[in-house]
Amino acid sequence: MQEIQESIKNRQVLMVCYKGLPRIIEAHIVGANSAGQEYVRGFQVGGTSCTEEVGWKLLDMKKIQAVSVIHDQHFAKPRQGYVKNDPVITTIYSQV
């Protein structure tokens, strides 16, 4: 979790293993919903997915097996379509 929060603060790109598939994401917000389930909302820029391989994703923290920061890759600003104070994530730990 701390690694994701730091990546948001520093706008660093992440490699995550989600449901067994590698994904490259720009994490924009991490926190919990009203039921206490933790999520990351990010823009997937590469890797694989069960659905579309790029675009906005809501990742359940329980299904993330591994996280690593790609230290030499950053994003300059939030992606188009980013909603600050995401309505799904009611308790925000970190956001762009």
Side-chain angles (χ1 to χ4, degrees):
M1 174 74 72
Q2 184 66 30
E3 201 165 29
I4 295 171
Q5 290 178 347
E6 285 294 314
S7 76
I8 292 171
K9 177 183 169 188
N10 299 318
R11 295 189 182 185
Q12 292 173 296
V13 178
L14 294 173
M15 170 69 77
V16 299
C17 182
Y18 187 73
K19 295 182 183 178
L21 300 172
R23 297 182 183 206
I24 301 170
I25 66 163
E26 298 171 353
H28 282 58
I29 186 169
V30 62
N33 67 7
S34 59
Q37 297 169 287
E38 294 179 319
Y39 291 97
V40 176
R41 171 94 58 195
F43 193 89
Q44 184 172 337
V45 295
T48 57
S49 174
C50 296
T51 58
E52 294 179 39
E53 292 186 4
V54 297
W56 285 105
K57 306 289 180 168
L58 182 65
L59 306 179
D60 183 341
M61 290 291 291
K62 290 186 281 186
K63 296 178 183 176
I64 296 176
Q65 291 92 25
V67 176
S68 60
V69 174
I70 304 174
H71 292 283
D72 61 344
Q73 291 187 26
H74 294 80
F75 57 102
K77 59 183 181 175
R79 288 278 178 164
Q80 184 175 3
Y82 172 60
V83 176
K84 194 168 180 102
N85 301 320
D86 190 313
V88 174
I89 300 173
T90 55
T91 302
I92 298 166
Y93 305 151
S94 184
Q95 71 179 331
V96 172

